[in-house]
Amino acid sequence: MRVLALGGVGEIGKNMYVVEMDGRMVVIDCGVSFPKQEQLGVDLVLPDFSYVRERRDSLVAVLLTHGHEDHIGALPYLLREVGSVPVYGTRFTLGLVKSKLDEHRLLKDAALVEVEPGVPETIGPFTAEFVRVSHSIPDPVAIALHTPHGTIVHSGDFKFDQAPIDNRPTDVAALARLGDGGVLLLLADSTGAETPGTIPSERSVGKELQKVMATAPGRVIITTFASHVHRVQQALEAAYADGRSVAVVGRSLKRNTNIAQNLGYLEPPEGTLVRVQDLDLLPVDEQVILSTGSQGEPLSALRRMAHAEHPQVTVRPGDTVIFSARAVPGNELAVNETINRLVQAGARVVTRESAAVHVSGHGGADELLLMLRLLRPRFLMPIHGEPRHLRAHADLARSVGMAGSDIFTLENGDVLEVANVAGGPQAAVVERIEAGITFVDGLGVGDVVEGVLRDRRHLSEDGLVLLVATVSARDGTPVGGAEVITRGFGGGEEQQLIEETRLEVERSLLASAADQVTGIDMLQHQLHDAVAALLYRKTRQRPMILPVVVEV
């Protein structure tokens, strides 16, 4: 069997794993990540689907562990490339997938198969078993693939919450049974490997939310992940206990709340949910707003409130804003900027640093050790984490007796081959395949390449200088004056610099004409070099220079 990650190893995001056996393939999860600060103008980052697309005839199914964006967000883009293929997931996960595929106009041809934890499914050459785990979203599962060669387990994102909101804890008995039967390879979530001990129960957050509401003098605004239905349930119950009404603001939060209600995963206390326009009919100390924007997203409801741009909600002195989430790595600057704006507007801001208003959905070090002891895998492949998380997870495994040679801390694209042979189980990295990334920019998928990003960074850092010159088609001499247009470049002496640049354009064209250089490409090249040298001498800056030469 061959196992590889096309995303999700050495990073948090765009999880996508491939398991191959006897010429057949399943994909486990298909997620997105969000652009880094230097990936200007990019909306989403996808895994590179080339490996799967080129083996489309071998693909028998996509299996989903849960409904977070970093596990399902890229699914519509994959299905667009490989066509209709069975997608297996639990009820709530498929509820989110249906909404996503409907937006992409792919729902009509989708082959969605709802699974029930504990009920095995025959999928190609694999027998798939779905095991309930706890996480920060309803219906998450681990996936065990049983084969004649051995069992591979993908843990999904998990924690061992003994009192989850939905009363569906991680199925420890099922995991122990898998361990008793023998696990050849475990792919395990590493996010919490550096966090000592265990993570508090999700139920503890509800008590803290109620405490903050009870002491808040006015309106309360709570922001959390749009898919965190358990957190939304607790916020609704805390508001009800404090005699407050709740309005939901933000497209993704409204959509997920509606899906959760329709499927029976969210049960608002009677009369608690109201329309946002009806909140103003109530005293301010009876109002709660649930909002998107926990990551400082530019177009999110909370970010727009912080910038006084939201059409329905204006942040006022006396408001209490609760960030019931952690900042995903890379989003810290955007989150801090939003917090500062809210403080300037007069709001009191409560974060996980000042009150226990958030707990992670990923298990801590002791919970990762418990997973290892229950499953007792022959080989371990830490996944879902940055390099430091993967290394910490490997160290935990060694601390409970696993040999370093049985732990594979890989990179995206490394192909791990595992087999049961006469001498016993063996595993080795046998090759490396291309596992790049694909950018989504507006409606374009894959149109933005590194060269485009490099130009965008250049423009953002140094600006643009556009040179427009007209020359004679007969001898290349300049006709009329050159035009110099700048964007994002220049300072207090900009007009003087533009005039010097214009004169340099004319000098360069006259010199080219004297050398009998008349080719447009060559003229533009020489213009670029001459003006670049001048501007660097004068400013020590290197703006992007675009020469345009027109013949008449």
Side-chain angles (χ1 to χ4, degrees):
M1 291 184 288
R2 289 158 55 92
V3 180
L4 63 142
L6 297 178
V9 172
E11 62 184 347
I12 295 178
K14 67 181 177 68
N15 292 277
M16 186 175 183
Y17 309 91
V18 174
V19 181
E20 297 175 284
M21 186 185 73
D22 300 339
R24 311 301 292 279
M25 165 198 305
V26 294
V27 167
I28 300 177
D29 288 340
C30 188
V32 300
S33 62
F34 296 96
K36 299 177 182 176
Q37 193 172 3
E38 66 271 16
Q39 293 167 335
L40 301 171
V42 172
D43 297 319
L44 294 172
V45 182
L46 313 178
D48 181 354
F49 301 141
S50 302
Y51 186 85
V52 177
R53 184 178 61 245
E54 292 164 3
R55 295 159 179 80
R56 167 63 184 88
D57 293 340
S58 301
L59 180 61
V60 295
V62 177
L63 315 179
L64 302 176
T65 60
H66 63 286
H68 279 146
E69 283 295 302
D70 60 329
H71 294 261
I72 68 168
L75 183 61
Y77 301 96
L78 175 67
L79 296 181
R80 194 174 290 158
E81 293 199 22
V82 303
S84 182
V85 61
V87 177
Y88 290 75
T90 52
R91 190 164 180 241
F92 186 68
T93 301
L94 292 188
L96 297 179
V97 166
K98 287 177 184 177
S99 174
K100 190 171 293 295
L101 294 182
D102 192 35
E103 285 184 5
H104 286 257
R105 300 181 181 178
L106 296 171
L107 183 57
K108 183 179 69 172
D109 299 322
L112 305 181
V113 183
E114 184 177 322
V115 301
E116 185 66 31
V119 179
E121 299 276 350
T122 300
I123 303 172
F126 306 95
T127 299
E129 181 179 355
F130 299 84
V131 179
R132 191 175 301 284
V133 295
S134 296
H135 188 44
S136 52
I137 191 171
D139 267 3
V141 289
I143 298 174
L145 296 177
H146 301 288
T147 78
H149 305 283
T151 297
I152 293 177
V153 176
H154 184 301
S155 73
D157 293 0
F158 73 93
K159 64 188 287 188
F160 287 93
D161 191 337
Q162 301 305 311
I165 301 304
D166 58 4
N167 292 315
R168 296 175 177 179
T170 296
D171 192 342
V172 175
L175 293 173
R177 178 174 45 78
L178 286 173
D180 291 341
V183 173
L184 181 62
L185 173 67
L186 169 62
L187 286 70
D189 175 15
S190 305
T191 313
E194 293 185 317
T195 305
T198 60
I199 301 301
S201 170
E202 171 65 28
R203 199 171 292 275
S204 65
V205 175
K207 299 175 183 177
E208 194 68 22
L209 291 177
Q210 187 172 344
K211 187 187 303 182
V212 174
M213 287 186 196
T215 57
R219 180 174 56 179
V220 174
I221 301 171
I222 304 173
T223 182
T224 189
F225 295 107
S227 59
H228 204 333
V229 174
H230 297 154
R231 190 67 50 82
V232 172
Q233 180 72 51
Q234 293 196 94
L236 292 171
E237 291 175 356
Y240 180 77
D242 197 50
R244 294 175 181 261
S245 297
V246 181
V248 178
V249 176
R251 188 173 70 92
S252 60
L253 189 57
K254 284 182 177 178
R255 181 189 65 226
N256 291 354
T257 299
N258 287 336
I259 292 171
Q261 280 188 265
N262 292 335
L263 295 177
Y265 291 91
L266 183 69
E267 299 179 354
E270 186 175 354
T272 302
L273 277 177
V274 300
R275 299 180 306 167
V276 66
Q277 54 266 40
D278 293 336
L279 275 184
D280 285 338
L281 303 176
L282 302 171
V284 290
D285 61 353
E286 295 180 11
Q287 300 179 19
V288 173
I289 293 173
L290 276 175
S291 171
T292 54
S294 65
Q295 302 305 303
E297 305 95 316
L299 299 179
S300 65
L302 186 64
R303 179 74 174 260
R304 293 165 68 195
M305 293 178 205
H307 286 257
E309 296 172 353
H310 195 278
Q312 296 172 299
V313 182
T314 302
V315 177
R316 302 184 292 257
D319 286 347
T320 298
V321 182
I322 303 172
F323 275 76
S324 189
R326 69 176 179 89
V328 173
N331 293 343
E332 294 88 352
L333 289 177
V335 171
N336 288 335
E337 193 270 343
T338 300
I339 290 174
N340 284 327
R341 288 273 189 169
L342 292 167
V343 171
Q344 288 174 337
R348 171 196 173 209
V349 177
V350 179
T351 67
R352 63 194 294 251
E353 284 76 26
S354 56
V357 292
H358 174 72
V359 296
S360 176
H362 299 271
D366 285 357
E367 291 163 277
L368 270 59
L369 288 173
L370 178 56
M371 180 67 79
L372 286 168
R373 291 194 180 280
L374 288 169
L375 293 177
R376 305 185 298 283
R378 180 67 176 80
F379 303 109
L380 171 68
M381 178 177 163
I383 61 170
H384 200 295
E386 296 172 350
R388 61 194 180 96
H389 301 122
L390 305 185
R391 177 66 61 84
H393 198 169
D395 291 342
L396 288 173
R398 278 189 285 270
S399 75
V400 292
M402 283 197 76
S405 57
D406 294 338
I407 303 168
F408 295 88
T409 305
L410 307 183
E411 297 179 356
N412 291 327
D414 287 340
V415 179
L416 179 66
E417 197 168 274
V418 291
N420 262 319
V421 295
Q426 293 184 358
V429 177
V430 295
E431 66 173 304
R432 179 170 177 77
I433 60 98
E434 184 65 32
I437 56 178
T438 302
F439 296 121
V440 177
D441 186 4
L443 296 178
V445 180
D447 298 338
V448 176
V449 295
E450 184 55 40
V452 174
L453 288 179
R454 187 167 56 247
D455 287 346
R456 289 180 178 179
R457 286 193 290 270
H458 192 175
L459 286 168
S460 72
E461 293 167 0
D462 300 309
L464 168 72
V465 176
L466 177 65
L467 313 172
V468 182
T470 306
V471 299
S472 168
R474 180 175 54 82
D475 58 10
T477 56
V479 177
E483 187 175 2
V484 178
I485 302 168
T486 65
R487 291 292 183 270
F489 173 78
E493 300 179 354
E494 183 178 359
Q495 289 304 317
Q496 179 181 340
L497 186 59
I498 288 176
E499 180 61 23
E500 290 183 34
T501 303
R502 191 183 63 77
L503 293 175
E504 184 64 27
V505 169
E506 294 178 359
R507 279 195 294 269
S508 176
L509 292 174
L510 288 171
S512 297
D515 293 337
Q516 297 183 337
V517 176
T518 57
I520 295 295
D521 289 346
M522 184 58 71
L523 287 174
Q524 291 181 160
H525 180 74
Q526 292 182 348
L527 266 182
H528 176 281
D529 289 352
V531 171
L534 169 71
L535 294 180
Y536 185 72
R537 267 197 328 270
K538 294 287 186 178
T539 68
R540 286 297 185 264
Q541 296 180 34
R542 299 186 188 276
M544 180 177 286
I545 298 169
L546 296 180
V548 178
V549 177
V550 180
E551 284 186 335
V552 294

